[in-house]
């Protein structure tokens, strides 16, 4: 009987002890609402509580609808081991942490340290913060500093974009995510791969901090430093980033790209390359519209054609490229260059105020005091039209006050032709035929075939001229009703050495590809004064079938 009484007495004491252990939880729960600095973990509810020091050590074993509260967060699970002395617990099954109405964390298992306010969630982890969701299998979430760290692969979904990587962080206070190792960002419009990426979920803005590739449709971007907004599809790229689209590329110290509208703007040391047509433009500012094919460059702008063995370098204040019938078989382009145009190639040089190149007829038209040099030949007039064939010069048409000057080997005498219009035909970069019409004046020095000495000066006037050359020497000449005089070299009148309007613009001629930046205009008084062409009387037009 005494042993039975002692056993009953001991059971009563144990029951009182368990009741006493539960009561402080209720008191701390009530106190948590009054004290902001209370960091104790409170057990709000469990269907069943068991305590066995020999089996579970200091853990209170909780099962059934377990609910904890800690510093503004509610934590739920199917069962838990509660370590009251260390202010921590292990949670099993349907683990869920809720903080306010903006953040929730779910997993299959979690360990929560109330002193450090760190939740170590494992297996099928889902962190939801406003409209952003992070999926992973291993996440350590620091409530004190408001960030989660995943290290066994993670996926973040935000605003229709999906980010994956091997390791990363997500900060719920700043809404910033950092991703490292095999990073992939994808949405309906683009695909980005890199090794390091910062992502601002507030702005849906990705910050590239390492070698990265972005693919969007036919366009491709390579950058090691830049920003990409997944919502607006705007890119800000730095550090010589490269953009490519259908055989064209754009590089600059900084590039701004609107993929939604296909617009690009590049600044400082810009290089635009068209590998299809084998030309490129450089400058300190460039813009390109991939939808319309429009391109523009300025500030030390240079256009380079490298389709031939020798590249053609051209400088102007501004270049503009217009594309017509884009995305069709009849596509063609017009290139406008204006203000102080200078061009250099080994065999051809040119200077003018502005020009237009039309790929439809391969014609380059030069305006306002244009001059073209080919070896020792110089052409100038009011307007010069140069036609290309297979990217080489085919023929040149000089309109208005046309003047051709050829410097002879002695550099003192010059063959000259002036007329209203002139046509020069080229073969492999050399003139082989020249045609002149309208008030043709000629100064020509015949040579002795035996020793190439000058015989005299031939001054001729004719309505039309046709001259054939071989190796830059006259082979045959045809003129319509010519009148002229041959002066021996010792009897040339001083007034016959040069035709009216003659000028040798060697001081203007570009000397090399770097000299295209050095503008040198004509000397005062040597500029052409454009002649106004009088229109025919109405009666003549009517007789010729012209407009009434």
């Amino acid at each position: 009987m005494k042993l039975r009484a002692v056993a009953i007495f001991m059971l009563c004491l144990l029951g009182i002890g368990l009741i006493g252990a539960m009561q402080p939880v209720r008191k701390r729960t009530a106190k948590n609402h009054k004290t902001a600095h209370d960091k104790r973990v409170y057990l709000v509810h469990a269907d069943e509580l068991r305590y066995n020091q020999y089996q579970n050590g200091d853990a209170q074993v909780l099962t059934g609808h377990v609910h904890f509260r800690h510093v503004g967060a509610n934590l739920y699970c199917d069962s838990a081991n509660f370590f009251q002395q260390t202010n921590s617990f292990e949670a099993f099954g349907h683990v869920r942490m809720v903080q306010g109405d903006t953040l929730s964390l779910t997993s299959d298992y979690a360990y929560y340290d109330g002193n450090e306010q760190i939740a170590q969630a494992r297996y099928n982890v889902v962190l939801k913060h406003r409209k952003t969701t992070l999926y992973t299998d291993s996440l350590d979430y620091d409530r004190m500093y408001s960030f989660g760290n995943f290290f066994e692969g993670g996926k973040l979904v935000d605003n229709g974009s999906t980010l994956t990587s091997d390791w990363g962080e997500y900060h719920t206070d700043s809404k910033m995510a950092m991703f490292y190792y095999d990073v992939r960002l994808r949405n309906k419009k683009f695909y980005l791969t890199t090794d390091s990426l910062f992502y601002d979920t507030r702005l849906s803005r990705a910050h590239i901090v390492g070698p990265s590739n972005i693919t969007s449709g036919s366009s491709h971007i390579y950058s090691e430093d830049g920003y990409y907004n997944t919502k607006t599809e705007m890119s800000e790229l730095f550090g010589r980033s490269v953009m490519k689209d259908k055989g064209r590329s754009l590089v600059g110290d900084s590039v701004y790209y609107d993929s939604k509208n296909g617009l690009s703007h590049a600044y400082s040391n810009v290089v635009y390359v068209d590998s299809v047509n084998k030309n490129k433009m450089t400058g300190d500012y460039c813009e390109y519209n991939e939808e319309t094919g429009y391109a523009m460059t300025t500030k030390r702008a240079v256009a380079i054609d490298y389709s031939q063995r020798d590249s053609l370098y051209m400088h102007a204040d501004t270049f503009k490229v217009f594309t017509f019938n884009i995305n069709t078989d009849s596509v063609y382009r017009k290139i406008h260059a204006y203000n102080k145009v200078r061009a250099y190639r080994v065999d051809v040089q040119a200077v003018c105020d502005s020009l237009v190149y039309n790929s439809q007829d391969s014609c380059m038209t030069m305006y306002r005091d244009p001059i073209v040099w080919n070896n020792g030949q110089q052409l100038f007039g009011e307007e010069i039209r140069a036609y290309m064939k297979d990217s080489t010069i085919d023929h040149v048409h000089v309109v208005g006050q046309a003047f051709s000057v050829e410097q002879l080997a002695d550099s003192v005498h010059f063959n000259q032709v002036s007329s209203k219009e002139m046509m020069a035909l080229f073969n492999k970069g050399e003139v082989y035929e020249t045609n002149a019409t309208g008030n043709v004046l000629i100064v020509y020095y015949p040579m002795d075939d035996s020793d190439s000495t000058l015989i005299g000066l031939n001054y001729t006037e004719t309505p039309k001229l046709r001259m054939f050359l071989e190796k830059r020497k006259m082979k045959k000449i045809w003129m319509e009703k010519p009148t002229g005089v041959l002066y021996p070299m010792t009897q040339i009148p001083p007034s016959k050495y040069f035709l009216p309007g003659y000028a040798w613009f060697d001081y203007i001629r570009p000397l090399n590809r770097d000299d295209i930046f050095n503008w040198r205009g004509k000397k005062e008084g040597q500029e052409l004064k454009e002649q106004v062409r009088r229109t025919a009387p109405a009666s003549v037009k009517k007789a010729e079938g012209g407009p009434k």
Side-chain angles (χ1 to χ4, degrees):
M1 292 294 292
K2 289 181 180 180
L3 290 174
R4 185 177 180 185
V6 171
I8 292 172
F9 177 71
M10 292 297 292
L11 285 172
C12 290
L13 288 177
L14 181 59
I16 293 171
L18 287 173
I19 293 171
M22 290 292 291
Q23 284 176 345
V25 174
R26 295 192 185 95
K27 289 179 182 178
R28 284 195 294 271
T29 302
K31 186 178 179 182
N32 187 51
H33 296 286
K34 299 177 182 179
T35 308
H37 299 289
D38 191 349
K39 294 184 179 180
R40 287 175 290 177
V41 174
Y42 290 93
L43 174 62
V44 178
H45 176 84
D47 289 349
E48 182 179 346
L49 183 151
R50 293 182 291 107
Y51 180 81
N52 188 325
Q53 188 173 13
Y54 296 104
Q55 277 189 347
N56 306 106
D58 296 332
Q60 298 177 33
V61 180
L62 313 173
T63 56
H65 301 95
V66 180
H67 177 193
F68 293 98
R69 182 180 293 125
H70 183 240
V71 192
N74 291 288
L75 302 103
Y76 307 88
C77 59
D78 291 342
S79 60
N81 292 331
F82 181 29
F83 304 96
Q84 192 170 8
Q85 291 181 347
T86 59
N87 202 34
S88 60
F89 63 85
E90 283 185 296
F92 306 91
H94 299 94
V95 180
R96 182 165 61 98
M97 182 182 77
V98 180
Q99 185 171 301
D101 58 357
T102 62
L103 186 143
S104 69
L105 174 65
T106 61
S107 64
D108 293 343
Y109 166 84
Y111 173 76
Y112 185 77
D113 186 333
N115 296 325
E116 300 293 334
Q117 296 189 44
I118 293 177
Q120 296 176 329
R122 301 293 183 267
Y123 315 119
N124 299 315
V125 181
V126 180
L127 175 66
K128 290 188 176 183
H129 182 234
R130 299 187 185 276
K131 296 181 180 180
T132 303
T133 305
L134 175 65
Y135 301 90
T136 182
D137 266 351
S138 299
L139 176 72
D140 292 347
Y141 183 73
D142 190 327
R143 294 186 59 224
M144 189 176 297
Y145 293 98
S146 303
F147 82 94
N149 172 34
F150 64 90
F151 41 86
E152 290 185 3
K155 179 177 72 172
L156 183 141
V157 179
D158 173 72
N159 191 38
S161 297
T162 302
L163 254 166
T164 62
S165 71
D166 291 346
W167 179 80
E169 300 177 8
Y170 178 67
H171 294 250
T172 55
D173 53 351
S174 63
K175 302 178 181 63
M176 284 292 299
M178 281 79 85
F179 291 81
Y180 305 97
Y181 310 117
D182 195 23
V183 183
R184 301 172 187 271
L185 174 57
R186 185 193 300 271
N187 69 11
K188 294 180 180 179
K189 297 291 183 70
F190 77 98
Y191 177 56
L192 182 152
T193 60
T194 184
D195 275 341
S196 301
L197 183 75
F198 298 160
Y199 187 77
D200 188 340
T201 61
R202 294 175 306 161
L203 305 174
S204 298
R205 191 183 192 211
H207 181 192
I208 300 165
V209 292
S212 308
N213 292 280
I214 304 173
T215 304
S216 177
S218 61
S219 66
H220 173 263
I221 297 174
Y222 174 82
S223 179
E224 296 183 6
D225 179 18
Y227 296 87
Y228 184 83
N229 192 306
T230 61
K231 187 182 295 183
T232 63
E233 300 178 33
M234 293 287 294
S235 301
E236 303 169 59
L237 309 171
F238 309 100
R240 307 300 295 164
S241 298
V242 181
M243 293 182 52
K244 293 184 178 181
D245 177 58
K246 298 177 181 177
R248 299 173 182 86
S249 65
L250 182 65
V251 185
D253 288 352
S254 56
V255 179
Y256 298 85
Y257 176 54
D258 179 355
S259 62
K260 186 177 291 185
N261 298 309
L263 298 175
S264 309
H265 301 266
Y267 300 85
S268 298
N269 303 310
V270 182
V271 179
Y272 167 78
V273 178
D274 184 347
S275 59
V276 176
N277 298 294
K278 296 185 178 179
N279 56 64
K280 67 180 180 180
M281 293 192 296
T282 65
D284 281 335
Y285 173 75
C286 181
E287 59 185 64
Y288 174 63
N289 187 323
E290 61 189 36
E291 298 294 328
T292 64
Y294 169 80
M296 187 274 283
T297 184
T298 186
K299 298 181 180 180
R300 290 186 62 81
V302 176
I304 304 170
D305 182 287
Y306 57 91
S307 59
Q308 297 300 303
R309 181 183 63 184
D310 298 318
S311 297
L312 173 67
Y313 298 84
M314 186 185 304
H315 168 65
D317 289 346
T318 303
F319 288 97
K320 290 185 178 180
V321 179
F322 301 89
T323 304
F324 301 87
N325 304 327
I326 195 168
N327 298 325
T328 69
D329 293 337
S330 57
V331 61
Y332 69 96
R333 292 176 177 82
K334 285 186 179 181
I335 300 175
H336 292 231
Y338 50 90
N339 295 344
K340 301 179 178 179
V341 181
R342 289 173 64 81
Y344 175 84
R345 194 169 70 182
V346 173
D347 57 337
V348 177
Q349 301 83 43
V351 169
C352 63
D353 182 72
S354 58
L355 67 81
V356 175
Y357 175 73
N358 189 337
S359 67
Q360 193 173 31
D361 55 6
S362 299
C363 177
M364 179 187 296
T365 306
M366 290 170 271
Y367 302 93
R368 294 189 62 183
D369 284 318
I371 312 170
V372 174
W373 295 268
N374 171 245
N375 298 315
Q377 190 86 11
Q378 172 187 277
L379 289 173
F380 63 90
E382 293 179 13
E383 181 181 303
I384 298 179
R385 302 168 188 168
Y387 293 83
M388 315 299 287
K389 185 177 182 181
D390 297 328
S391 299
T392 60
I393 189 164
D394 182 72
H395 63 278
V396 173
H397 186 193
V398 186
V399 181
Q401 304 183 64
F403 210 116
S404 170
V405 182
E406 180 190 7
Q407 186 180 42
L408 301 183
D410 60 10
S411 301
V412 175
H413 297 91
F414 298 85
N415 290 333
Q416 305 156 54
V417 179
S418 70
S419 61
K420 288 184 178 179
E421 292 190 32
M422 194 175 296
M423 184 83 72
L425 308 180
F426 289 77
N427 182 28
K428 296 181 180 180
E430 290 191 0
V431 178
Y432 71 91
E433 182 179 342
T434 299
N435 298 320
T437 57
N439 299 330
V440 182
L441 303 178
I442 305 167
V443 166
Y444 177 72
Y445 293 89
M447 290 185 182
D448 191 319
D449 292 336
S450 60
D451 57 6
S452 298
T453 58
L454 302 182
I455 297 173
L457 182 152
N458 191 334
Y459 175 82
T460 306
E461 296 181 5
T462 179
K464 290 184 179 181
L465 166 70
R466 192 173 185 186
M467 186 184 299
F468 299 90
L469 300 97
E470 187 175 295
K471 296 181 180 180
R472 288 179 283 176
K473 291 183 179 181
M474 188 180 71
K475 184 178 180 181
K476 186 171 64 173
I477 188 169
W478 175 88
M479 291 179 282
E480 181 183 291
K481 299 178 181 179
T483 59
V485 180
L486 175 62
Y487 298 98
M489 293 300 296
T490 57
Q491 300 178 25
I492 301 174
S495 61
K496 296 300 182 181
Y497 277 105
F498 302 106
L499 295 176
Y502 161 84
W504 184 245
F505 298 111
D506 57 333
Y507 62 93
I508 294 177
R509 188 174 189 171
L511 303 177
N512 51 57
R513 69 183 189 183
D514 296 320
D515 193 36
I516 61 176
F517 293 101
N518 303 316
W519 174 255
R520 298 184 293 275
K522 290 181 177 180
K523 294 178 181 178
E524 188 175 353
Q526 290 188 326
E527 302 91 346
L528 287 181
K529 296 180 180 179
E530 188 171 344
Q531 296 176 348
V532 178
R533 293 169 176 77
R534 292 178 295 177
T535 57
S539 58
V540 176
K541 289 184 178 180
K542 184 176 180 180
E544 294 177 350
K548 300 178 180 179

